[in-house]
């Protein structure tokens, strides 16, 4: 390709003039993804429950020349999920990219499990993601029809656990499997209207995710990954950027990303 054409191609796929909403942006993968999208020129709406963390992230994004809008929201509450999306569109004018990242992983055996942990996972990993998607879809369809790129993106963060079931991971597996199934059905529904649906399935990433485990489960988890060089949140943020900066005619449907040393 000639140089001028190549440059034009790059510009066409940057995220300038677009708005991205990232859930679970107060730590880990969501935080890194918000920064990475801002670096590509997107204005980012950053949502989670810990407002202090979001405020620091917004400052960091503005210090690198980006723009961020903080929204305190618990996405397990349908009204809050809807208001988060509406606030984004009201304040920032549009919505081109939704990253459904907020999630919790409460591992452990099924026998004698505290079923409150199951409810937390189903409410956040599944229902929360469904609420955010439902609220965002009309705006994403609008962006795909009339936006600067004529394409919009939903990135759903599932997990290797959405593809490989493991002993001690049954309900987390069920929620992430559900994310994969829902995403594929949604993809078939909206892809012809240029809303792309990407599933990102990380292996082990060094974040706060495991800090919510019961101590005995945390110990077991640490043993399972002893000696494995884990991924960093930025590694997953890069894959999200890869997916959403593709040319309009290319949709990355699924990305399974493991640390090199992770076997299963
Ligand atoms: N780390 C890994 O090894 C790994 C592997 C595969 C998949 N994943 C997936 O990656 C995603 C991000 O996890 P992470 O590893 O980055 O963990 P993390 O650092 O614990 O981040 C989880 C995020 O979710 C937010 N969150 C939790 N409950 C929420 C609620 N009710 N409403 C809104 N936001 C909520 C948290 O913010 P607040 O507490 O401030 O609300 C936090 O920002 C999850 O879906 C996880 O399942 C992670």
């Amino acid at each position: 390709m000639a140089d001028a054409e190549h440059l034009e191609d790059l510009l066409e796929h940057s995220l300038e003039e677009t708005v991205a909403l990232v859930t679970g942006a107060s730590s880990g993968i969501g935080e890194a993804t918000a920064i990475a999208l801002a670096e590509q020129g997107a204005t980012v709406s950053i949502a989670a429950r810990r407002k202090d963390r979001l405020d620091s992230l917004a400052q960091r994004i503005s210090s690198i020349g980006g723009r961020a809008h903080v929204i305190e929201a618990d996405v397990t509450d349908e009204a809050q999920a809807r208001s988060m999306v509406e606030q984004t569109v009201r304040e920032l004018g549009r919505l081109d990219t939704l990253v459904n990242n907020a999630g919790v992983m409460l591992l452990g055996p099924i026998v004698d499990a505290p079923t409150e942990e199951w409810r937390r996972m189903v409410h956040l990993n599944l229902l929360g993601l469904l609420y955010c998607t439902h609220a965002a879809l009309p705006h994403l369809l609008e962006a795909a029809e009339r936006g600067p790129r004529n394409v919009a993106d939903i990135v759903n963060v599932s997990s290797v656990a959405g593809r490989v079931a493991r002993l001690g991971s049954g309900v987390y597996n069920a929620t992430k499997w559900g994310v994969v199934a829902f995403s594929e059905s949604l993809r078939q529904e909206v892809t012809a209207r240029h809303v792309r649906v990407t599933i990102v399935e990380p292996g082990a990433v060094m974040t706060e995710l495991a800090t919510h485990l019961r101590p005995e489960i945390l110990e077991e988890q640490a043993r399972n990954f002893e000696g494995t060089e884990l991924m960093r949140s930025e590694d997953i943020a890069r894959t999200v950027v890869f997916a959403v900066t593709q040319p309009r005619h290319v949709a990355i449907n699924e990305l399974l990303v493991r640390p090199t040393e992770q076997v299963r």
Side-chain angles (χ1 to χ4, degrees), residues 24 26-27 29 49-50 74-75 101 158 172 176 202-203 205 207:
S26 59
S27 60
I29 294 169
R49 295 166 307 174
R50 287 171 295 175
D74 178 341
V75 298
N101 163 77
S158 176
Y172 185 63
K176 292 302 190 180
V205 187
T207 68

Side-chain angles (χ1 to χ4, degrees), residues 112-162:
D112 293 334
T115 55
E116 175 51 27
E117 291 189 346
W118 295 0
R119 271 186 291 281
R120 281 176 62 195
M121 285 190 282
V122 170
H123 285 160
L124 180 59
N125 302 0
L126 261 182
L127 276 174
L129 179 140
L130 303 186
Y131 297 148
C132 297
T133 304
H134 185 258
L137 272 169
H139 303 291
L140 295 169
L141 286 163
E142 164 83 15
E145 214 167 293
R146 278 184 271 276
R149 301 185 306 155
N150 282 125
V151 71
D153 287 280
I154 299 183
V155 179
N156 288 336
V157 180
S158 176
S159 169
V160 168

Side-chain angles (χ1 to χ4, degrees), residues 19 67 87-96 139:
V19 172
R67 184 174 169 214
Q87 214 187 110
T88 300
V89 175
R90 196 170 55 245
E91 298 293 328
L92 306 176
R94 50 181 309 100
L95 181 62
D96 301 270
H139 303 291

